[in-house]
mmCIF file with all atom_site columns, all heavy atoms in Angstrom:
data_model
loop_
_atom_site.group_PDB
_atom_site.id
_atom_site.type_symbol
_atom_site.label_atom_id
_atom_site.label_alt_id
_atom_site.label_comp_id
_atom_site.label_asym_id
_atom_site.label_entity_id
_atom_site.label_seq_id
_atom_site.pdbx_PDB_ins_code
_atom_site.Cartn_x
_atom_site.Cartn_y
_atom_site.Cartn_z
_atom_site.occupancy
_atom_site.B_iso_or_equiv
_atom_site.pdbx_formal_charge
_atom_site.auth_seq_id
_atom_site.auth_comp_id
_atom_site.auth_asym_id
_atom_site.auth_atom_id
_atom_site.pdbx_PDB_model_num
ATOM 1  N N   . LYS A 1 231 ? 170.829 126.088 62.983 1.00 95.00 ? 231 LYS A N   1
ATOM 2  C CA  . LYS A 1 231 ? 170.891 125.592 64.357 1.00 95.00 ? 231 LYS A CA  1
ATOM 3  C C   . LYS A 1 231 ? 170.424 124.139 64.445 1.00 95.00 ? 231 LYS A C   1
ATOM 4  O O   . LYS A 1 231 ? 170.902 123.387 65.305 1.00 95.00 ? 231 LYS A O   1
ATOM 5  C CB  . LYS A 1 231 ? 170.042 126.474 65.273 1.00 95.00 ? 231 LYS A CB  1
ATOM 6  C CG  . LYS A 1 231 ? 170.637 127.864 65.509 1.00 95.00 ? 231 LYS A CG  1
ATOM 7  C CD  . LYS A 1 231 ? 170.021 128.559 66.708 1.00 95.00 ? 231 LYS A CD  1
ATOM 8  C CE  . LYS A 1 231 ? 168.578 128.881 66.517 1.00 95.00 ? 231 LYS A CE  1
ATOM 9  N NZ  . LYS A 1 231 ? 168.011 129.662 67.643 1.00 95.00 ? 231 LYS A NZ  1
ATOM 10 N N   . ARG A 1 232 ? 169.524 123.742 63.560 1.00 96.00 ? 232 ARG A N   1
ATOM 11 C CA  . ARG A 1 232 ? 169.065 122.344 63.532 1.00 96.00 ? 232 ARG A CA  1
ATOM 12 C C   . ARG A 1 232 ? 170.039 121.434 62.800 1.00 96.00 ? 232 ARG A C   1
ATOM 13 O O   . ARG A 1 232 ? 169.814 120.230 62.690 1.00 96.00 ? 232 ARG A O   1
ATOM 14 C CB  . ARG A 1 232 ? 167.680 122.259 62.870 1.00 96.00 ? 232 ARG A CB  1
ATOM 15 C CG  . ARG A 1 232 ? 166.558 122.906 63.680 1.00 96.00 ? 232 ARG A CG  1
ATOM 16 C CD  . ARG A 1 232 ? 165.202 122.533 63.110 1.00 96.00 ? 232 ARG A CD  1
ATOM 17 N NE  . ARG A 1 232 ? 165.014 123.007 61.746 1.00 96.00 ? 232 ARG A NE  1
ATOM 18 C CZ  . ARG A 1 232 ? 164.453 124.170 61.412 1.00 96.00 ? 232 ARG A CZ  1
ATOM 19 N NH1 . ARG A 1 232 ? 164.024 124.986 62.368 1.00 96.00 ? 232 ARG A NH1 1
ATOM 20 N NH2 . ARG A 1 232 ? 164.310 124.514 60.147 1.00 96.00 ? 232 ARG A NH2 1
ATOM 21 N N   . GLY A 1 233 ? 171.105 121.990 62.251 1.00 96.00 ? 233 GLY A N   1
ATOM 22 C CA  . GLY A 1 233 ? 172.108 121.193 61.554 1.00 96.00 ? 233 GLY A CA  1
ATOM 23 C C   . GLY A 1 233 ? 171.698 120.759 60.166 1.00 96.00 ? 233 GLY A C   1
ATOM 24 O O   . GLY A 1 233 ? 172.232 119.773 59.645 1.00 96.00 ? 233 GLY A O   1
ATOM 25 N N   . GLU A 1 234 ? 170.806 121.494 59.530 1.00 96.00 ? 234 GLU A N   1
ATOM 26 C CA  . GLU A 1 234 ? 170.293 121.095 58.227 1.00 96.00 ? 234 GLU A CA  1
ATOM 27 C C   . GLU A 1 234 ? 171.224 121.473 57.078 1.00 96.00 ? 234 GLU A C   1
ATOM 28 O O   . GLU A 1 234 ? 171.055 120.990 55.957 1.00 96.00 ? 234 GLU A O   1
ATOM 29 C CB  . GLU A 1 234 ? 168.907 121.710 58.011 1.00 96.00 ? 234 GLU A CB  1
ATOM 30 C CG  . GLU A 1 234 ? 167.872 121.166 58.999 1.00 96.00 ? 234 GLU A CG  1
ATOM 31 C CD  . GLU A 1 234 ? 166.510 121.814 58.830 1.00 96.00 ? 234 GLU A CD  1
ATOM 32 O OE1 . GLU A 1 234 ? 166.312 122.548 57.839 1.00 96.00 ? 234 GLU A OE1 1
ATOM 33 O OE2 . GLU A 1 234 ? 165.635 121.581 59.685 1.00 96.00 ? 234 GLU A OE2 1
ATOM 34 N N   . PHE A 1 235 ? 172.188 122.342 57.319 1.00 95.00 ? 235 PHE A N   1
ATOM 35 C CA  . PHE A 1 235 ? 173.184 122.672 56.306 1.00 95.00 ? 235 PHE A CA  1
ATOM 36 C C   . PHE A 1 235 ? 174.409 123.256 56.991 1.00 95.00 ? 235 PHE A C   1
ATOM 37 O O   . PHE A 1 235 ? 174.356 123.662 58.161 1.00 95.00 ? 235 PHE A O   1
ATOM 38 C CB  . PHE A 1 235 ? 172.624 123.680 55.281 1.00 95.00 ? 235 PHE A CB  1
ATOM 39 C CG  . PHE A 1 235 ? 172.462 125.068 55.819 1.00 95.00 ? 235 PHE A CG  1
ATOM 40 C CD1 . PHE A 1 235 ? 173.454 126.031 55.657 1.00 95.00 ? 235 PHE A CD1 1
ATOM 41 C CD2 . PHE A 1 235 ? 171.311 125.437 56.499 1.00 95.00 ? 235 PHE A CD2 1
ATOM 42 C CE1 . PHE A 1 235 ? 173.306 127.313 56.153 1.00 95.00 ? 235 PHE A CE1 1
ATOM 43 C CE2 . PHE A 1 235 ? 171.152 126.718 57.004 1.00 95.00 ? 235 PHE A CE2 1
ATOM 44 C CZ  . PHE A 1 235 ? 172.157 127.659 56.832 1.00 95.00 ? 235 PHE A CZ  1
ATOM 45 N N   . ASP A 1 236 ? 175.500 123.273 56.268 1.00 95.00 ? 236 ASP A N   1
ATOM 46 C CA  . ASP A 1 236 ? 176.741 123.863 56.761 1.00 95.00 ? 236 ASP A CA  1
ATOM 47 C C   . ASP A 1 236 ? 177.096 125.072 55.909 1.00 95.00 ? 236 ASP A C   1
ATOM 48 O O   . ASP A 1 236 ? 176.890 125.066 54.690 1.00 95.00 ? 236 ASP A O   1
ATOM 49 C CB  . ASP A 1 236 ? 177.895 122.856 56.706 1.00 95.00 ? 236 ASP A CB  1
ATOM 50 C CG  . ASP A 1 236 ? 177.703 121.704 57.694 1.00 95.00 ? 236 ASP A CG  1
ATOM 51 O OD1 . ASP A 1 236 ? 177.267 121.973 58.831 1.00 95.00 ? 236 ASP A OD1 1
ATOM 52 O OD2 . ASP A 1 236 ? 177.983 120.551 57.315 1.00 95.00 ? 236 ASP A OD2 1
ATOM 53 N N   . VAL A 1 237 ? 177.630 126.086 56.540 1.00 96.00 ? 237 VAL A N   1
ATOM 54 C CA  . VAL A 1 237 ? 178.173 127.219 55.796 1.00 96.00 ? 237 VAL A CA  1
ATOM 55 C C   . VAL A 1 237 ? 179.553 126.816 55.280 1.00 96.00 ? 237 VAL A C   1
ATOM 56 O O   . VAL A 1 237 ? 180.300 126.118 55.970 1.00 96.00 ? 237 VAL A O   1
ATOM 57 C CB  . VAL A 1 237 ? 178.287 128.460 56.704 1.00 96.00 ? 237 VAL A CB  1
ATOM 58 C CG1 . VAL A 1 237 ? 178.863 129.643 55.919 1.00 96.00 ? 237 VAL A CG1 1
ATOM 59 C CG2 . VAL A 1 237 ? 176.931 128.825 57.289 1.00 96.00 ? 237 VAL A CG2 1
ATOM 60 N N   . CYS A 1 238 ? 179.890 127.226 54.085 1.00 96.00 ? 238 CYS A N   1
ATOM 61 C CA  . CYS A 1 238 ? 181.195 126.878 53.541 1.00 96.00 ? 238 CYS A CA  1
ATOM 62 C C   . CYS A 1 238 ? 182.302 127.406 54.451 1.00 96.00 ? 238 CYS A C   1
ATOM 63 O O   . CYS A 1 238 ? 182.104 128.333 55.230 1.00 96.00 ? 238 CYS A O   1
ATOM 64 C CB  . CYS A 1 238 ? 181.357 127.422 52.123 1.00 96.00 ? 238 CYS A CB  1
ATOM 65 S SG  . CYS A 1 238 ? 181.670 129.207 52.016 1.00 96.00 ? 238 CYS A SG  1
ATOM 66 N N   . THR A 1 239 ? 183.473 126.839 54.369 1.00 97.00 ? 239 THR A N   1
ATOM 67 C CA  . THR A 1 239 ? 184.592 127.270 55.204 1.00 97.00 ? 239 THR A CA  1
ATOM 68 C C   . THR A 1 239 ? 185.051 128.661 54.784 1.00 97.00 ? 239 THR A C   1
ATOM 69 O O   . THR A 1 239 ? 184.784 129.115 53.672 1.00 97.00 ? 239 THR A O   1
ATOM 70 C CB  . THR A 1 239 ? 185.780 126.308 55.079 1.00 97.00 ? 239 THR A CB  1
ATOM 71 O OG1 . THR A 1 239 ? 186.284 126.362 53.728 1.00 97.00 ? 239 THR A OG1 1
ATOM 72 C CG2 . THR A 1 239 ? 185.356 124.876 55.413 1.00 97.00 ? 239 THR A CG2 1
#
Side-chain angles (χ1 to χ4, degrees):
K231 289 197 294 185
R232 292 192 298 267
E234 295 178 10
F235 72 94
D236 292 319
V237 180
C238 76
T239 65

